[in-house]
């Protein structure tokens, strides 16, 4: 996918998150959208929100994130179609554009 003249690849994967060993709780499965720029300067992992979540979590791995330079995690507002099991290309494009805005 091309956004603002740059190529991005993206995919969705389920990840198991371990719960602290305070009891006998099974690992929690979370769905992540991974977005990586072709130059690998923009790398983010978007945890898809669950029903009832007020916002979503965006984990930043790459050095390029103009919205909040130096951040490792950012709370992302809820969007209209963010609860679909598999995000659309339009949703991915919106998330990239939101991330690249200077605030």
């Amino acid at each position: 996918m091309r956004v603002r003249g740059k190529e991005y690849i993206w995919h969705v994967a389920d990840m198991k998150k371990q719960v602290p060993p305070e009891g006998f709780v099974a690992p929690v499965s979370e769905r992540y959208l991974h977005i990586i720029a072709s130059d690998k300067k923009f790398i983010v992992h978007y945890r898809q929100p669950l029903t009832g979540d007020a916002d979503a979590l965006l984990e930043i791995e790459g050095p390029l994130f103009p919205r909040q330079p130096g951040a490792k995690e950012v709370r992302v507002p809820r969007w209209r179609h963010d609860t679909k099991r598999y995000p659309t290309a339009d949703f991915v494009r919106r998330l990239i554009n939101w991330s690249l805005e200077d605030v």
Side-chain angles (χ1 to χ4, degrees):
M1 151 184 304
R2 184 172 287 281
V3 178
R4 297 185 182 197
K6 189 180 281 190
E7 283 293 321
Y8 295 86
I9 60 169
W10 58 280
H11 72 280
V12 177
D14 289 329
M15 298 176 65
K16 297 270 187 204
K17 292 286 185 171
Q18 288 297 108
V19 177
E22 296 169 355
F24 298 101
V25 180
V28 177
S29 182
E30 295 178 337
R31 184 166 288 252
Y32 278 82
L33 165 64
H34 305 278
I35 305 171
I36 305 168
S38 59
D39 63 4
K40 296 185 178 128
K41 290 184 178 178
F42 179 85
I43 303 170
V44 296
H45 312 286
Y46 174 79
R47 186 182 65 78
Q48 288 188 262
L50 303 173
T51 304
D53 286 351
D55 52 22
L57 179 66
L58 186 67
E59 297 173 5
I60 299 132
E61 190 176 328
L64 177 64
F65 193 77
R67 178 167 277 277
Q68 194 171 341
K72 294 298 177 195
E73 289 185 352
V74 173
R75 291 290 171 184
V76 178
R78 296 294 303 264
W79 284 297
R80 192 169 132 202
H81 300 295
D82 64 2
T83 55
K84 288 186 177 182
R85 186 156 171 79
Y86 293 99
T88 62
D90 181 58
F91 177 80
V92 174
R93 186 173 289 107
R94 288 174 191 262
L95 181 58
I96 292 169
N97 280 319
W98 181 87
S99 298
L100 295 178
E101 289 177 3
D102 281 327
V103 180

